[in-house]
Amino acid sequence: RVLHVARRNSSRMSSEDIQRRRSSQISILEEFPVPDFASQQVRKGSYETSFDCITMAFNGHGGFGGSNEPSIDWMCSAMTTNRDDPRRIDAIGSFLGPMLIVSEAYGMILELVVNDEKGKTHVAATCACYPPGTLDSDGSTMKSGGDRYHFGLATYGVAPTFTNKQITGEAFVQRLAAFKQDSEWDQRRNDYGEMWYIGALGTHPKYQGNGYGRLLLNVVSHYTPMKRNMIAISNALGQTSTSMRDAVMK
């Protein structure tokens, strides 16, 4: 039902709305090119190319070890402590996927890429960020029930597993509700004024400890002219997450 509503509302977006979003995205990509100091490793990314990296960074599945995001881990542990459980992976994907889609459409996704011994390119770290003035009207990346929310969910194309109690369990949904009670933090971002906001920053578990997340953070810092714009990094609980803290420390 939720997906049906999202598709219906998203289909009602006028051609003017769609063109405005596309024009804004082109403007952002042109205004904020990758700086020279990172041009050999960092590129502008997309939802499709960043999805696996950011979901593995936050959930820690795949058998690579490394750190994951503690708030996500706390929330999902109510369902299972097994990071590779398909229910947990699906829930994380349906939570982060629409967010990445909205980040690509209204903000910007940065990717740090590496090549393996066979020359194949892999996304090692991802940063979904928003330039000043690009957050939703309530200070969030996408207001629940708003146009961005429906656009992200409809484009993702899969019903949000994280809201399905039959799959995730009652305890998970209760922790999710606590996790999403961030309206105070959304409004505080509005109160702070013009800023760069990082909605998600994570390094694939296989590549943690190489300073890749920190380099992406440095790129965003480069975009803040003369330090007139601050950078806000917080999870839904208003705390610096492990993946984000590791990005700064490593």
Side-chain angles (χ1 to χ4, degrees), residues 76-88:
C76 289
S77 64
M79 180 192 344
T80 174
T81 57
N82 179 10
R83 298 179 183 181
D84 292 292
D85 188 301
R87 297 173 301 159
R88 178 164 169 156

Side-chain angles (χ1 to χ4, degrees), residues 7 16 32 48 112 130 139 202 217:
R7 285 171 172 164
E16 181 179 345
F32 303 106
E48 289 86 357
L112 187 145
Y130 291 79
L217 188 58

Side-chain angles (χ1 to χ4, degrees), residues 161-220:
T161 304
F162 63 86
T163 63
N164 191 330
K165 294 181 182 179
Q166 293 182 335
I167 296 176
T168 61
E170 179 68 30
F172 172 87
V173 174
Q174 290 177 350
R175 291 190 180 188
L176 171 67
F179 184 86
K180 294 181 68 178
Q181 287 177 353
D182 63 346
S183 59
E184 178 183 352
W185 291 94
D186 291 341
Q187 185 57 49
R188 187 167 297 179
R189 290 195 284 270
N190 271 338
D191 294 342
Y192 285 148
E194 294 290 284
M195 66 166 64
W196 275 84
Y197 178 67
I198 295 179
L201 171 61
T203 302
H204 189 291
K206 182 179 179 179
Y207 302 104
Q208 291 177 1
N210 293 296
Y212 294 154
R214 180 173 58 189
L215 180 58
L216 290 180
L217 188 58
N218 287 342
V219 170
V220 179

